[in-house]
């Protein structure tokens, strides 16, 4: 057995989000998820929507007790724009939401759990999407900063770690390229515009944070998907370079390196997709500075040079590559045969260390999807046996440990997720939680991973056999 210890003060916990856990009770407005579900329930797995989900809005006290029992010293969730704000133009808050978020934060703090609060987890208020096109409009970036101002003013003294956006590229992909988020458009130029305006919203929120807050830290959570090639041929390597440029560097470079990649601007211009911008807004983004980066990692990306013609009538990143499945890869049979590649965690850490000034970062989401059948029933000892998940978590954490040994500036790990939660159009198709959610009763049932994690978090170390990577 080998023992893997983590640096003192390492953050251990889980990540979740408001729209995936709270339920819609008490909300003054709909988000696009609430309204899209009522318009097209057939787009959602088993026609399950976001109305009840984990019912955190009413069950938060018991849930925080469970967090403590699982050894968490920190927890990320998000404040819903469509709950906190009554008037989107002024940023005027909703009294009941203020009460709820204070109570939830107080409960965490009283139990020794550091709240990490995100402001946007894919949940555009419906009215802003329908009136202005959401982040298609720079005005909505400004409104986001008013929401952020309200949140910092109300909760800034309770929250040390703030996050502007979770996976800002995902609403671009889902809403404007690949049709899995509302408004389900497929339009390369709009996609680039939305990406730019999200960065603008981020920068404006950071600006407000610097103006208001004397302490605390602010960052952004990016889903960094390292790209691997089919072969070492120049064509395949070029394909991987483009995928990395479009999916990783598009946000990483402006937000961490303070520059828009020249090649990206040229590429967008070539496809007539350059967003409308002003020099002031570009400067606001590149001047803005984050204190830390969050990184979400689930799967690697593998690409090859295109072999078939590109047939879409709008620009999409696949113009430059085709996806490639490694015939020797390991795959998760419970998650669309997604590839399992723990060494990618090491590669992400190395990239941040070598190319992004070794900025302070934490693993903000890592999770192993299983379905109910594969997790199986509650065992005689009252625990659901998700050993498959524990084994894979160990393998990924061994890689993180190697990275820290080699100089990665990583300060914590949050597993996705705490209690099985509602995952957008996939609803409850795949489970990720430390606790199973019984959809009928709302009961939380413990999985073995929670017991394993408690030991890890409380001792700040774990032991395992040396594992292949
Ligand atoms: C991530 C999202 C999160 C959740 C997991 C499974 O991409 O941040 O909301 O749905 O995937």
């Amino acid at each position: 057995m080998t023992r893997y210890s983590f640096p003192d003060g390492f953050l251990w916990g889980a990540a979740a989000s408001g729209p995936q856990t709270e339920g819609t009770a008490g909300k003054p407005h709909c988000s696009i998820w609430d309204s899209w579900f009522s318009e097209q329930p057939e787009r959602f797995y088993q026609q399950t929507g976001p109305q009840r989900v984990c019912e955190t809005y009413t069950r938060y006290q018991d849930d925080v007790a469970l967090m403590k029992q699982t050894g968490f010293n920190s927890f990320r969730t998000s404040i819903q724009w469509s709950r906190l704000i009554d008037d989107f133009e002024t940023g005027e808050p909703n009294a009941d939401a203020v009460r709820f978020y204070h109570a939830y934060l107080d409960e965490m703090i009283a139990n020794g759990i550091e709240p990490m609060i995100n402001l946007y987890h894919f949940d555009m208020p419906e009215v802003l999407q329908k009136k202005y096109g959401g982040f298609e409009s720079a005005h909505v970036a400004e409104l986001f900063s008013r929401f952020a101002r309200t949140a910092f003013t109300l909760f800034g003294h309770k929250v040390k770690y703030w996050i502007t956006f979770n996976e800002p590229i995902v609403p671009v992909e889902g809403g404007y390229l690949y049709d899995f988020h509302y408004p389900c458009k497929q339009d390369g130029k709009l996609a680039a515009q939305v990406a730019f305006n999200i960065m603008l919203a981020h920068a404006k929120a950071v600006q407000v944070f610097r103006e208001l807050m004397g302490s605390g830290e602010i960052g952004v959570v990016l889903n960094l998907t390292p790209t691997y090639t089919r072969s070492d041929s120049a064509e395949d390597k070029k394909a991987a370079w483009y995928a990395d440029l479009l999916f990783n560097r598009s946000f990483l470079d402006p937000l961490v390196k303070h520059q828009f990649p020249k090649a990206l601007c040229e590429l967008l211009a070539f496809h007539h997709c350059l967003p409308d911008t002003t020099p002031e807004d570009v400067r606001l983004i590149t001047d803005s500075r984050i204190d830390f980066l969050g990184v979400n990692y689930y799967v690697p990306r593998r690409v090859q040079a295109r072999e078939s013609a590109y047939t879409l009538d709008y620009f999409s990143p696949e113009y430059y590559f085709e996806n490639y499945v490694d015939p020797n890869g390991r795959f998760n049979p419970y998650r669309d045969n997604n590839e399992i590649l723990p060494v990618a965690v090491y590669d992400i850490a190395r990239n941040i260390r070598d190319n992004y000034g070794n900025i302070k970062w934490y693993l903000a989401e890592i999770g192993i999807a299983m379905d109910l059948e594969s997790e199986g029933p509650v065992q005689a000892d009252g625990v659901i046996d998700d050993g498959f998940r524990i084994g894979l978590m160990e393998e990924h954490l061994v890689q993180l440990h190697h990275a820290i040994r080699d100089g990665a500036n990583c300060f914590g790990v949050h597993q996705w997720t705490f209690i099985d939660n509602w995952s957008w159009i996939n609803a409850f198709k795949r489970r990720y939680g430390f606790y199973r959610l019984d959809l009928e009763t709302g009961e939380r049932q413990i999985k073995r991973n929670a017991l394993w994690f408690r030991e890890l978090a409380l001792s700040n170390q774990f032991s395992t056999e040396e594992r292949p990577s």
Side-chain angles (χ1 to χ4, degrees):
M1 298 288 264
T2 308
R3 191 166 61 200
Y4 298 94
S5 307
F6 289 82
D8 287 347
F10 209 67
L11 294 185
W12 294 106
S17 79
Q20 293 176 275
T21 58
E22 287 173 12
T24 52
K27 281 182 70 179
H29 301 284
C30 285
S31 74
I32 50 172
W33 295 98
D34 308 324
S35 55
W36 188 25
F37 178 74
S38 51
E39 286 159 20
Q40 287 190 296
E42 68 283 359
R43 289 290 315 260
F44 294 75
Y45 183 69
Q46 294 182 335
Q47 306 215 5
T48 303
Q51 305 93 321
R52 289 185 54 224
V53 295
C54 300
E55 298 177 297
T56 306
Y57 178 70
T58 46
R59 291 176 178 255
Y60 67 91
Q61 282 170 308
D62 292 344
D63 285 349
V64 172
L66 269 189
M67 291 178 194
K68 188 173 183 185
Q69 192 182 303
T70 320
F72 295 2
N73 58 19
S74 50
F75 180 70
R76 166 164 67 111
T77 186
S78 68
I79 289 178
Q80 295 192 72
W81 193 353
S82 54
R83 183 188 290 283
L84 183 65
I85 301 298
D86 255 348
D87 181 333
F88 296 118
E89 302 293 330
T90 63
E92 188 62 29
N94 175 270
D96 181 64
V98 174
R99 176 205 58 77
F100 166 65
Y101 287 121
H102 269 304
Y104 191 12
L105 289 170
D106 289 344
E107 198 67 26
M108 284 189 235
I109 293 163
N111 283 281
I113 292 155
E114 181 84 61
M116 301 181 80
I117 297 298
N118 172 32
L119 294 175
Y120 194 88
H121 205 119
F122 313 161
D123 53 332
M124 177 63 65
E126 176 198 14
V127 60
L128 298 185
Q129 187 69 47
K130 293 190 172 157
K131 188 168 173 195
Y132 300 113
F135 284 123
E136 293 166 38
S137 149
H139 178 60
V140 172
E142 173 60 26
L143 298 186
F144 178 78
S145 76
R146 295 182 197 162
F147 156 49
R149 178 180 294 275
T150 301
F152 301 146
T153 307
L154 287 165
F155 310 116
H157 57 300
K158 297 186 179 178
V159 177
K160 179 173 170 206
Y161 296 102
W162 289 92
I163 291 153
T164 54
F165 282 82
N166 173 76
E167 301 187 347
I169 201 169
V170 169
V172 177
E173 295 174 351
Y176 295 90
L177 292 172
Y178 306 125
D179 184 28
F180 62 92
H181 280 200
Y182 194 81
C184 311
K185 296 182 182 174
Q186 295 183 299
D187 179 325
K189 181 161 164 59
L190 265 185
Q193 188 69 58
V194 168
F196 182 83
N197 287 342
I198 287 178
M199 284 187 254
L200 182 61
H202 158 87
K204 283 174 180 265
V206 172
Q207 189 181 39
V208 172
F209 185 84
R210 301 283 176 228
E211 173 197 321
L212 288 182
M213 309 297 297
S215 62
E217 300 188 10
I218 192 156
V220 66
V221 170
L222 301 181
N223 48 316
L224 297 183
T225 310
T227 314
Y228 301 91
T229 58
R230 169 179 59 178
S231 79
D232 276 345
S233 75
E235 294 77 19
D236 283 348
K237 277 162 79 180
K238 192 78 189 157
W241 182 86
Y242 276 117
D244 188 51
L245 176 71
L246 286 154
F247 290 113
N248 296 322
R249 293 182 53 205
S250 49
F251 280 83
L252 248 181
D253 284 20
L255 302 188
V256 180
K257 248 189 199 166
H258 310 291
Q259 65 197 33
F260 284 91
K262 192 161 164 276
L264 181 61
C265 300
E266 287 167 2
L267 179 158
L268 292 174
F270 173 74
H271 292 280
H272 308 289
C273 287
L274 263 187
D276 298 330
T277 62
T278 66
E280 294 74 38
D281 288 348
V282 170
R283 209 167 321 112
L284 189 68
I285 295 169
T286 52
D287 280 355
S288 109
R289 184 183 53 78
I290 53 172
D291 299 305
F292 68 93
L293 179 68
V295 175
N296 294 352
Y297 171 72
Y298 293 87
V299 288
R301 184 187 307 279
R302 287 193 192 270
V303 300
Q304 62 182 46
R306 283 205 72 91
E307 287 178 348
S308 61
Y310 181 81
T311 51
L312 298 177
D313 61 2
Y314 59 94
F315 171 68
S316 183
E318 291 69 22
Y319 183 91
Y320 289 100
F321 60 84
E322 279 173 3
N323 291 319
Y324 165 71
V325 178
D326 180 0
N328 302 313
R330 285 166 73 195
F331 299 94
N332 179 348
Y334 316 120
R335 215 299 186 202
D336 305 330
N337 268 328
N338 271 347
E339 186 172 352
I340 295 166
L341 193 71
V343 74
V345 171
Y346 187 91
D347 292 340
I348 290 171
R350 184 175 44 197
N351 184 32
I352 296 171
R353 185 194 66 193
D354 296 347
N355 299 315
Y356 294 90
N358 206 14
I359 186 172
K360 166 170 147 181
W361 66 280
Y362 83 112
L363 199 50
E365 282 181 31
I366 179 149
I368 310 297
M370 295 176 76
D371 52 30
L372 275 185
E373 292 66 41
S374 51
E375 284 182 343
V378 179
Q379 307 281 300
D381 61 356
V383 178
I384 293 160
D385 208 344
D386 58 345
F388 172 78
R389 180 175 282 127
I390 300 174
L392 287 177
M393 280 306 299
E394 286 187 347
E395 287 190 54
H396 287 83
L397 290 185
V398 166
Q399 292 299 329
L400 181 65
H401 191 273
H402 291 342
I404 294 172
R405 177 201 63 201
D406 293 347
N409 197 2
C410 176
F411 67 96
V413 171
H414 280 180
Q415 206 174 307
W416 186 271
T417 190
F418 172 37
I419 297 163
D420 288 345
N421 66 32
W422 183 80
S423 216
W424 320 112
I425 59 173
N426 288 326
F428 288 93
K429 184 173 182 186
R430 296 171 191 112
R431 306 296 183 118
Y432 291 85
F434 287 110
Y435 294 86
R436 174 176 295 171
L437 178 69
D438 183 317
L439 291 182
E440 299 289 306
T441 63
E443 194 193 336
R444 284 77 165 122
Q445 297 159 324
I446 192 164
K447 305 181 198 174
R448 204 162 302 288
N449 185 33
L451 300 173
W452 172 80
F453 192 85
R454 176 186 157 83
E455 283 304 304
L456 161 68
L458 294 181
S459 63
N460 208 22
Q461 60 183 25
F462 71 103
S463 296
T464 187
E465 294 147 28
E466 195 67 58
R467 286 170 181 277
S469 54

